[in-house]
Amino acid sequence: MTDIRQKPAWRELGRLAAQMSRARVKSMFAHDERRAERFTLSAAGITLDYSKQRIDQAVMDALGRLAESQEFYAAREALFAGAPINNSEGRAAWHMALRRPADAPLYDEVHEVRADMAAFVDDVRRGRWVGYTGAPISDVVNIGIGGSDLGPRLICDALAQLRQRIHCHFVANVDPADLDDTLIRMDPERTLFIVTSKSFGTAETLANAGVARQWLLDNGASEDDIAKHFVAVSTNEEAVREFGIERIFGFWDWVGGRFSLWSAVGISIALGLGMDEFENMLAGAHAMDNHFETAPLGENLPAALALVGVWNNNFLGLSSHVVVPYAQRLAALPAFLQQLEMESNGKSVTRDGEASPVETVPTVWGSVGTNAQHAFFQMLHQGVLAADVDFVLPLSDADAADDERERQRVANCFAQAEALMCGRDTDALVAELTAEGLSGWELEQRLAARRFDGNRPSSMILMERLDAHHLGALLAAYEHKVFVQGVVWNINSFDQWGVELGKTMAGQLLGELEGDVESVEHDASTAALLARVRRAWGQ
Ligand code: F6P
């Protein structure tokens, strides 16, 4: 593929970026009364208002031409057709097949597993599936990490108010504190462990699962009872059986870990909230899939999210992307998106195996509003390193609005976006300081500290409400955003070779710490650190 920087649309965007450096979004609103409407898109109950971005129609058109020149339409067709677009592993990335309705399947086995899942969920929730003393299950502990943790954890947290009977817990970290602190609160007779691992080879997950198994045995269960308290979700049936788990919910190699919550990986969602809610989430995601698959670039919500991101990162030099959900229950969203975006597009090599000539994924980070306002918003408003921000705001109903805190939640969200764009008017600030009796050098100094220019870009993403359907639609929109950016940057968004080296080296170091393998030669820093740990452990 031609170097993207040689494409006419890329050059055009470079010119537009130079012009845009002098433009102020606030003035663009003043000159175009239809701006908000022009740059707002809605699909599947999600509304994206990107009118506070530093864009105009010429920019959006050029971004569209860029995506077209990178063969967006053919790539989208290949994605939905289940073609092996993950070219380094020869696999499809067909997570959309997981959320198709049962009467319009793309892949029959998806619905077989879903039916099996539904039967199991019903048994557990109705108390027909019992633990080793005959007691019904009250708590489910999902043991998994990365994509085998973040999605189900996010949905269960987000919809905690819908939880009935079964309480779901998530253990990811290999730090003993994670599992130990969870087990302290569990009743072994009523606890079901779900070991979730696509590969069933992830060291952290297997270590935690082994400890959980031993905990059950130490608390009165026999080896034969293990089957009543352990199920697995994996594509590696053989390894699951070797571990001693009989009940397995499978999925397929064309489901990437970070795209897997729609498969049986989401079983904890169904156990905690009910199968209907799980299906609602799939339906919301499917509605977004339909939109993404059919809408042209200029009307396509996930594509707009993606292209605005490309503009900010590659042309305005904003290599920091911040996600701030204004909803306590979405506190896990930034972590989910970090994996989705950075594991997918954190690549420096193109699909053709060449060094990427342009920046790829920006740093993705964030936290929940309003807390974030009292932590990092100072930097967003006045820091030298500018970022672009996604505000995510679930709407609520009239009853909720009776609560003053609810009104504050909304007011704060909109105020921050407006402040980022408008900054502080210098004349008004001078008047304020003069009224405080300041003048001369003192006034200048205070003015310099308090002024901020604004013109900092953000998007507002509204969810019609915080429910399973809209969560499904929101996450699917972000998945497609990641895909579109991968197409523009000509990278493979669906592999993650970069995490493998660290895993291998951790295995070697673990062996050394346990005295099982010969020490290899380490750099002086690592050798000194190992010696320090050995001293602490009395070795
Ligand atoms: O380390 C990266 C990764 O492979 C992720 O892509 C994945 O979601 C996570 O580890 C967990 O993998 P598994 O589901 O195979 O345990």
Side-chain angles (χ1 to χ4, degrees), residues 145-148 196-202 205 251 257-258 339 343 496 499-500 503:
I145 198 163
S148 295
T196 307
S197 174
K198 180 177 171 182
S199 58
F200 222 78
T202 301
T205 300
F251 60 113
R258 50 196 174 274
Q339 189 202 16
E343 194 167 86
Q496 58 286 321
V499 295
E500 296 306 323
K503 284 187 197 171

